[in-house]
C-alpha cells in the first residue's frame, strides 16, 4: 500500500512510501508549485497530484514508478486558486477512469453548490469535460448528489438550475452521458433512491425510473421517498401525531405494506 507526500527537506520532491519503509522519489517540483499541492489516492498504487498557482491547474498521475502529466481540456487550464481549491475532489473511480470536480458557484444552506465534472482517462492521460453545472457538496460529502449503480459503472446526478434541471447518467467506461428526464423546481424537492434508479420529481408530481416508466403522485399532503429495490415510502408531509407510512413498488407487483407509528 503506497502513500504519497512532498518532501521539502532540500528541494521539493514528490515521494512515495509503503508500509515496509521503502521510499521512492518520483520527481521534483518548482518552489511555486509547492505552495498549493494536493494528493488524492485512487487505490493502493495510484494517486492524483494537483498543482495550482496563479489560477492555473495541472494534474499528475502518481504510481510507485513515477509521475505522468494528465492533459486537461485546455493548457494552461484556468482554475480559481483562492475560491475553488478546498472544493476539489474525486467523485468516483472506475477502472482507469476518474471523475473529478470542484465548485465554481456557491449556493445556500438549502441548495447545493454547483461545478463542472471532468472524466480522466488514466490510460490515455487525457481529460474530458462532461457537464458544467452539476449539483454537488462544497467539500467531499457528495454521496447525496452522485448515485452509483451496483457495479459502479454508471453515475446518476443533477445538472442545471431550478429553471431547467436535467437528471443525467454518466457511463464511467465510455464517457458518454445521457439525459434521463428534465424538470423544473429546486433540487432539494427532487428525491432519489440510493442507486439513482428511481426518482420523485415534486415539481412535475411524478415518480419515474430509468426504463422510462412514470406514474403521477399528486397528493400535496404526502411526500414520497424512493428507496431500494424499486420501492417508494409515502407518508404525511406534516405529521404531528400518529402517522401511517405506506411502502409500495410503483412499477412492480409486490404487495403494498402499511406501517403505523
Amino acid at each position: 500500500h503506497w502513500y504519497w507526500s512532498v518532501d521539502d527537506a532540500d528541494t521539493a520532491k514528490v515521494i512515495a512510501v509503503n508500509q515496509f519503509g521503502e521510499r521512492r522519489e518520483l520527481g521534483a517540483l518548482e518552489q511555486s508549485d509547492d505552495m498549493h499541492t494536493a494528493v488524492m489516492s485512487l487505490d493502493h498504487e495510484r494517486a492524483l497530484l494537483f498543482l495550482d498557482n496563479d489560477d492555473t491547474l495541472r494534474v499528475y498521475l502518481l504510481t510507485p514508478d513515477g509521475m505522468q502529466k494528465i492533459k486537461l481540456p485546455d493548457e494552461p487550464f484556468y482554475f480559481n486558486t483562492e475560491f475553488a481549491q478546498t472544493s476539489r475532489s474525486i467523485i468516483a473511480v472506475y477502472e482507469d477512469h476518474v471523475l473529478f470536480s470542484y465548485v465554481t458557484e456557491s449556493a445556500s444552506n438549502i441548495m447545493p453548490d454547483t461545478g463542472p465534472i471532468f472524466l480522466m482517462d488514466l490510460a490515455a492521460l487525457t481529460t474530458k469535460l462532461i457537464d458544467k453545472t452539476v449539483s454537488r457538496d462544497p467539500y467531499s460529502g457528495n454521496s447525496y448528489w452522485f448515485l452509483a449503480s451496483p457495479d459502479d459503472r454508471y453515475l446518476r446526478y443533477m445538472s442545471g438550475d431550478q429553471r431547467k434541471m436535467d437528471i443525467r447518467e454518466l457511463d464511467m467506461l465510455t464517457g458518454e452521458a445521457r439525459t434521463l428526464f428534465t424538470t423544473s423546481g429546486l433540487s432539494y424537492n427532487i428525491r432519489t433512491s440510493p442507486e439513482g434508479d428511481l426518482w420523485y420529481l415534486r415539481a412535475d408530481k411524478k415518480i419515474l425510473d430509468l426504463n422510462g416508466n412514470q406514474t403521477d403522485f399528486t397528493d400535496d399532503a404526502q411526500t414520497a421517498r424512493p428507496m431500494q429495490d424499486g420501492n417508494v415510502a409515502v407518508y404525511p408531509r406534516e405529521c404531528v401525531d400518529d402517522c401511517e407510512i405506506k411502502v409500495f413498488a410503483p412499477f412492480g407487483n409486490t404487495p403494498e405494506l402499511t406501517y403505523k407509528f
Side-chain angles (χ1 to χ4, degrees):
H1 194 150
W2 290 89
Y3 304 85
W4 320 91
S5 187
V6 176
D7 182 358
D8 288 318
D10 185 11
T11 57
K13 300 183 181 68
V14 181
I15 63 171
V17 297
N18 63 24
Q19 69 267 42
F20 304 109
E22 183 180 356
R23 168 193 164 118
R24 298 183 184 181
E25 293 185 1
L26 306 182
L29 300 179
E30 299 292 335
Q31 185 174 4
S32 58
D33 287 335
D34 195 30
M35 294 178 62
H36 298 112
T37 62
V39 178
M40 299 182 183
S41 292
L42 304 177
D43 51 40
H44 290 345
E45 292 193 341
R46 298 182 301 177
L48 293 182
L49 169 65
F50 294 92
L51 305 176
D52 61 275
N53 59 67
D54 296 328
D55 291 336
T56 62
L57 181 70
R58 283 168 291 149
V59 185
Y60 290 83
L61 172 65
L62 304 184
T63 69
D65 299 318
M67 52 189 290
Q68 297 172 284
K69 187 175 182 181
I70 298 175
K71 180 176 175 54
L72 295 173
D74 297 303
E75 297 286 355
F77 183 82
Y78 174 75
F79 178 82
N80 189 321
T81 296
E82 181 177 357
F83 175 79
Q85 189 172 150
T86 56
S87 67
R88 185 173 40 204
S89 63
I90 300 300
I91 302 297
V93 180
Y94 183 79
E95 296 182 355
D96 285 334
H97 297 86
V98 177
L99 194 69
F100 144 70
S101 178
Y102 53 88
V103 168
T104 53
E105 293 290 337
S106 294
S108 67
N109 62 334
I110 59 173
M111 289 291 291
D113 292 349
T114 58
I117 55 174
F118 301 86
L119 190 64
M120 293 179 175
D121 186 331
L122 302 184
L125 299 176
T126 57
T127 307
K128 173 184 177 181
L129 173 65
I130 303 298
D131 280 308
K132 292 182 178 180
T133 56
V134 175
S135 299
R136 52 153 294 177
D137 186 272
Y139 298 105
S140 59
N142 287 292
S143 58
Y144 180 84
W145 301 108
F146 293 89
L147 300 313
S149 62
D151 62 359
D152 292 326
R153 175 171 171 173
Y154 298 94
L155 283 184
R156 291 95 190 211
Y157 58 92
M158 290 180 278
S159 179
D161 55 35
Q162 64 187 62
R163 294 164 296 181
K164 181 179 181 292
M165 184 68 70
D166 291 330
I167 310 300
R168 302 267 283 164
E169 181 181 67
L170 170 66
D171 185 333
M172 289 283 293
L173 185 62
T174 67
E176 297 299 319
R178 63 179 181 131
T179 298
L180 302 171
F181 22 85
T182 300
T183 183
S184 60
L186 302 177
S187 56
Y188 66 80
N189 280 330
I190 301 173
R191 298 285 182 258
T192 180
S193 64
E195 296 173 355
D197 56 347
L198 197 63
W199 295 75
Y200 165 51
L201 310 183
R202 185 179 177 189
D204 295 281
K205 299 183 177 182
K206 291 185 182 297
I207 298 171
L208 310 97
D209 71 7
L210 301 184
N211 297 319
N213 298 310
Q214 60 178 281
T215 186
D216 294 335
F217 185 83
T218 59
D219 189 347
D220 290 333
Q222 301 281 321
T223 188
R225 294 273 184 164
M227 303 190 302
Q228 291 180 323
D229 302 323
N231 288 315
V232 175
V234 175
Y235 53 89
R237 191 173 298 278
E238 300 292 339
C239 176
V240 296
D241 204 336
D242 295 341
C243 292
E244 187 175 87
I245 298 180
K246 292 186 178 181
V247 177
F248 70 101
F251 311 117
N253 53 13
T254 56
E256 180 179 293
L257 302 174
T258 300
Y259 299 88
K260 296 182 183 297
F261 288 88

